[in-house]
mmCIF file of all heavy atoms in Angstrom:
data_model
loop_
_atom_site.group_PDB
_atom_site.id
_atom_site.type_symbol
_atom_site.label_atom_id
_atom_site.label_comp_id
_atom_site.label_asym_id
_atom_site.label_seq_id
_atom_site.Cartn_x
_atom_site.Cartn_y
_atom_site.Cartn_z
ATOM 1 N N ASP B 31 -8.257 26.337 -6.622
ATOM 2 C CA ASP B 31 -8.364 25.842 -5.245
ATOM 3 C C ASP B 31 -9.506 26.503 -4.497
ATOM 4 O O ASP B 31 -9.380 26.864 -3.323
ATOM 5 C CB ASP B 31 -7.046 26.079 -4.487
ATOM 6 C CG ASP B 31 -6.116 24.885 -4.633
ATOM 7 O OD1 ASP B 31 -6.576 23.848 -5.129
ATOM 8 O OD2 ASP B 31 -4.936 25.016 -4.262
ATOM 9 N N VAL B 36 -10.257 35.023 -11.383
ATOM 10 C CA VAL B 36 -10.678 35.865 -12.501
ATOM 11 C C VAL B 36 -12.197 35.917 -12.463
ATOM 12 O O VAL B 36 -12.850 34.885 -12.353
ATOM 13 C CB VAL B 36 -10.210 35.268 -13.851
ATOM 14 C CG1 VAL B 36 -10.820 36.040 -15.011
ATOM 15 C CG2 VAL B 36 -8.692 35.269 -13.946
ATOM 16 N N PRO B 44 -8.027 38.451 -31.565
ATOM 17 C CA PRO B 44 -8.171 38.546 -33.016
ATOM 18 C C PRO B 44 -7.130 37.679 -33.721
ATOM 19 O O PRO B 44 -6.010 37.520 -33.245
ATOM 20 C CB PRO B 44 -7.909 40.029 -33.296
ATOM 21 C CG PRO B 44 -7.969 40.708 -31.965
ATOM 22 C CD PRO B 44 -7.569 39.697 -30.958
ATOM 23 N N ASN B 55 1.584 38.496 -9.920
ATOM 24 C CA ASN B 55 1.518 37.085 -9.532
ATOM 25 C C ASN B 55 0.194 36.821 -8.844
ATOM 26 O O ASN B 55 -0.259 37.624 -8.042
ATOM 27 C CB ASN B 55 2.646 36.752 -8.548
ATOM 28 C CG ASN B 55 3.976 36.648 -9.261
ATOM 29 O OD1 ASN B 55 4.023 36.318 -10.444
ATOM 30 N ND2 ASN B 55 5.039 36.943 -8.559
ATOM 31 N N GLU B 72 -13.462 26.003 -16.389
ATOM 32 C CA GLU B 72 -13.945 27.322 -15.983
ATOM 33 C C GLU B 72 -15.128 27.166 -15.016
ATOM 34 O O GLU B 72 -15.883 26.203 -15.118
ATOM 35 C CB GLU B 72 -14.352 28.150 -17.205
ATOM 36 C CG GLU B 72 -15.464 27.585 -18.072
ATOM 37 C CD GLU B 72 -14.946 26.696 -19.208
ATOM 38 O OE1 GLU B 72 -13.823 26.153 -19.063
ATOM 39 O OE2 GLU B 72 -15.652 26.517 -20.211
ATOM 40 N N SER B 74 -17.599 29.511 -14.623
ATOM 41 C CA SER B 74 -18.760 29.883 -15.417
ATOM 42 C C SER B 74 -18.285 30.694 -16.614
ATOM 43 O O SER B 74 -17.120 31.074 -16.692
ATOM 44 C CB SER B 74 -19.753 30.689 -14.569
ATOM 45 O OG SER B 74 -19.163 31.919 -14.210
ATOM 46 N N GLU B 76 -18.248 31.315 -21.033
ATOM 47 C CA GLU B 76 -17.988 30.416 -22.150
ATOM 48 C C GLU B 76 -16.759 30.836 -22.954
ATOM 49 O O GLU B 76 -16.371 32.000 -22.973
ATOM 50 C CB GLU B 76 -19.218 30.328 -23.063
ATOM 51 C CG GLU B 76 -19.558 31.631 -23.746
ATOM 52 C CD GLU B 76 -20.538 31.416 -24.900
ATOM 53 O OE1 GLU B 76 -20.620 30.286 -25.407
ATOM 54 O OE2 GLU B 76 -21.183 32.398 -25.298
ATOM 55 N N ASP B 80 -12.428 29.309 -32.739
ATOM 56 C CA ASP B 80 -12.739 29.253 -34.168
ATOM 57 C C ASP B 80 -11.819 28.227 -34.824
ATOM 58 O O ASP B 80 -10.668 28.069 -34.427
ATOM 59 C CB ASP B 80 -12.520 30.628 -34.793
ATOM 60 C CG ASP B 80 -12.818 30.598 -36.278
ATOM 61 O OD1 ASP B 80 -13.779 29.904 -36.656
ATOM 62 O OD2 ASP B 80 -12.087 31.245 -37.044
ATOM 63 N N VAL B 107 12.020 15.100 -28.828
ATOM 64 C CA VAL B 107 11.166 16.096 -28.178
ATOM 65 C C VAL B 107 10.310 16.820 -29.218
ATOM 66 O O VAL B 107 9.097 16.981 -29.040
ATOM 67 C CB VAL B 107 12.012 17.106 -27.375
ATOM 68 C CG1 VAL B 107 11.140 18.239 -26.846
ATOM 69 C CG2 VAL B 107 12.720 16.416 -26.226
ATOM 70 N N SER B 110 7.512 14.820 -30.575
ATOM 71 C CA SER B 110 6.414 14.572 -29.618
ATOM 72 C C SER B 110 5.337 15.642 -29.723
ATOM 73 O O SER B 110 4.254 15.487 -29.152
ATOM 74 C CB SER B 110 6.941 14.464 -28.190
ATOM 75 O OG SER B 110 7.241 15.737 -27.667
ATOM 76 N N GLY B 125 3.183 14.328 -43.708
ATOM 77 C CA GLY B 125 3.855 15.615 -43.776
ATOM 78 C C GLY B 125 4.537 15.998 -42.472
ATOM 79 O O GLY B 125 5.031 17.109 -42.328
ATOM 80 N N ALA B 126 4.579 15.061 -41.495
ATOM 81 C CA ALA B 126 5.159 15.378 -40.195
ATOM 82 C C ALA B 126 6.637 15.760 -40.322
ATOM 83 O O ALA B 126 7.101 16.715 -39.698
ATOM 84 C CB ALA B 126 4.995 14.192 -39.250
ATOM 85 N N LYS B 127 7.354 15.015 -41.163
ATOM 86 C CA LYS B 127 8.804 15.270 -41.267
ATOM 87 C C LYS B 127 9.066 16.670 -41.807
ATOM 88 O O LYS B 127 9.985 17.366 -41.359
ATOM 89 C CB LYS B 127 9.450 14.200 -42.156
ATOM 90 C CG LYS B 127 9.359 12.839 -41.481
ATOM 91 C CD LYS B 127 10.539 11.950 -41.782
ATOM 92 C CE LYS B 127 10.530 10.749 -40.828
ATOM 93 N NZ LYS B 127 10.112 9.497 -41.428
ATOM 94 N N ASP B 128 8.241 17.097 -42.796
ATOM 95 C CA ASP B 128 8.406 18.455 -43.343
ATOM 96 C C ASP B 128 8.096 19.509 -42.278
ATOM 97 O O ASP B 128 8.795 20.515 -42.168
ATOM 98 C CB ASP B 128 7.482 18.659 -44.550
ATOM 99 C CG ASP B 128 7.889 17.777 -45.721
ATOM 100 O OD1 ASP B 128 9.084 17.395 -45.768
ATOM 101 O OD2 ASP B 128 7.029 17.461 -46.558
ATOM 102 N N LYS B 132 10.608 22.368 -40.889
ATOM 103 C CA LYS B 132 10.266 23.790 -40.899
ATOM 104 C C LYS B 132 10.376 24.384 -39.490
ATOM 105 O O LYS B 132 10.964 25.444 -39.297
ATOM 106 C CB LYS B 132 8.818 23.949 -41.414
ATOM 107 C CG LYS B 132 8.725 24.870 -42.631
ATOM 108 C CD LYS B 132 7.277 25.209 -42.951
ATOM 109 C CE LYS B 132 6.560 24.116 -43.739
ATOM 110 N NZ LYS B 132 5.126 24.339 -43.896
ATOM 111 N N ARG B 162 8.561 22.139 -30.758
ATOM 112 C CA ARG B 162 7.574 21.105 -30.440
ATOM 113 C C ARG B 162 6.164 21.685 -30.482
ATOM 114 O O ARG B 162 5.244 21.100 -31.057
ATOM 115 C CB ARG B 162 7.857 20.525 -29.049
ATOM 116 C CG ARG B 162 6.821 19.515 -28.588
ATOM 117 C CD ARG B 162 7.081 19.057 -27.176
ATOM 118 N NE ARG B 162 6.857 20.103 -26.196
ATOM 119 C CZ ARG B 162 6.630 19.896 -24.901
ATOM 120 N NH1 ARG B 162 6.638 18.661 -24.439
ATOM 121 N NH2 ARG B 162 6.442 20.894 -24.078
ATOM 122 N N ASP B 169 -3.088 27.174 -35.929
ATOM 123 C CA ASP B 169 -2.608 28.534 -36.152
ATOM 124 C C ASP B 169 -2.604 29.369 -34.878
ATOM 125 O O ASP B 169 -2.479 30.573 -34.922
ATOM 126 C CB ASP B 169 -3.421 29.229 -37.251
ATOM 127 C CG ASP B 169 -4.873 28.787 -37.219
ATOM 128 O OD1 ASP B 169 -5.304 28.325 -36.156
ATOM 129 O OD2 ASP B 169 -5.552 28.911 -38.249
ATOM 130 N N ASP B 174 3.809 30.449 -22.282
ATOM 131 C CA ASP B 174 3.766 30.826 -20.869
ATOM 132 C C ASP B 174 5.167 31.248 -20.434
ATOM 133 O O ASP B 174 6.048 30.419 -20.254
ATOM 134 C CB ASP B 174 3.259 29.641 -20.028
ATOM 135 C CG ASP B 174 2.753 30.093 -18.668
ATOM 136 O OD1 ASP B 174 2.987 31.260 -18.312
ATOM 137 O OD2 ASP B 174 2.124 29.275 -17.972
ATOM 138 N N PRO B 182 19.798 37.807 -21.693
ATOM 139 C CA PRO B 182 19.261 38.818 -22.619
ATOM 140 C C PRO B 182 19.388 38.435 -24.094
ATOM 141 O O PRO B 182 18.468 38.672 -24.877
ATOM 142 C CB PRO B 182 20.095 40.055 -22.308
ATOM 143 C CG PRO B 182 20.578 39.860 -20.921
ATOM 144 C CD PRO B 182 20.726 38.389 -20.727
ATOM 145 N N LEU B 210 7.566 42.990 -19.269
ATOM 146 C CA LEU B 210 6.602 43.812 -19.990
ATOM 147 C C LEU B 210 7.257 44.778 -20.974
ATOM 148 O O LEU B 210 6.806 44.928 -22.105
ATOM 149 C CB LEU B 210 5.750 44.605 -18.996
ATOM 150 C CG LEU B 210 4.866 43.729 -18.100
ATOM 151 C CD1 LEU B 210 4.087 44.597 -17.133
ATOM 152 C CD2 LEU B 210 3.925 42.879 -18.931
ATOM 153 N N ARG B 219 -1.692 43.729 -28.729
ATOM 154 C CA ARG B 219 -2.784 43.935 -27.807
ATOM 155 C C ARG B 219 -2.363 43.367 -26.456
ATOM 156 O O ARG B 219 -1.589 42.424 -26.404
ATOM 157 C CB ARG B 219 -3.993 43.166 -28.341
ATOM 158 C CG ARG B 219 -5.325 43.619 -27.849
ATOM 159 C CD ARG B 219 -6.403 42.885 -28.614
ATOM 160 N NE ARG B 219 -6.422 43.252 -30.020
ATOM 161 C CZ ARG B 219 -7.024 44.347 -30.478
ATOM 162 N NH1 ARG B 219 -7.642 45.151 -29.659
ATOM 163 N NH2 ARG B 219 -7.003 44.619 -31.756
ATOM 164 N N CYS B 224 -6.240 41.848 -13.327
ATOM 165 C CA CYS B 224 -6.017 42.500 -12.044
ATOM 166 C C CYS B 224 -7.301 42.452 -11.235
ATOM 167 O O CYS B 224 -8.293 43.079 -11.612
ATOM 168 C CB CYS B 224 -5.609 43.945 -12.267
ATOM 169 S SG CYS B 224 -5.495 44.885 -10.761
ATOM 170 N N ALA B 243 3.208 54.853 -15.525
ATOM 171 C CA ALA B 243 3.285 54.172 -14.241
ATOM 172 C C ALA B 243 4.684 54.273 -13.671
ATOM 173 O O ALA B 243 4.874 54.447 -12.471
ATOM 174 C CB ALA B 243 2.881 52.719 -14.406
ATOM 175 N N ASN B 252 -3.342 49.324 -11.349
ATOM 176 C CA ASN B 252 -3.709 49.132 -9.963
ATOM 177 C C ASN B 252 -5.197 49.359 -9.808
ATOM 178 O O ASN B 252 -5.779 50.195 -10.473
ATOM 179 C CB ASN B 252 -2.967 50.120 -9.069
ATOM 180 C CG ASN B 252 -1.828 49.441 -8.360
ATOM 181 O OD1 ASN B 252 -1.875 48.245 -8.132
ATOM 182 N ND2 ASN B 252 -0.807 50.206 -8.047
ATOM 183 N N SER B 255 -5.849 53.096 -8.943
ATOM 184 C CA SER B 255 -5.396 54.185 -9.798
ATOM 185 C C SER B 255 -6.011 54.169 -11.195
ATOM 186 O O SER B 255 -6.311 55.197 -11.758
ATOM 187 C CB SER B 255 -3.878 54.173 -9.899
ATOM 188 O OG SER B 255 -3.464 52.915 -10.357
#
Side-chain angles (χ1 to χ4, degrees):
Chain B
D31 270 349
V36 172
N55 285 332
E72 60 269 24
S74 66
E76 65 165 338
D80 179 38
V107 173
S110 77
K127 294 213 167 105
D128 293 336
K132 237 191 279 172
R162 176 185 69 159
D169 35 22
D174 199 349
L210 295 179
R219 201 172 294 278
C224 173
N252 257 333
S255 56

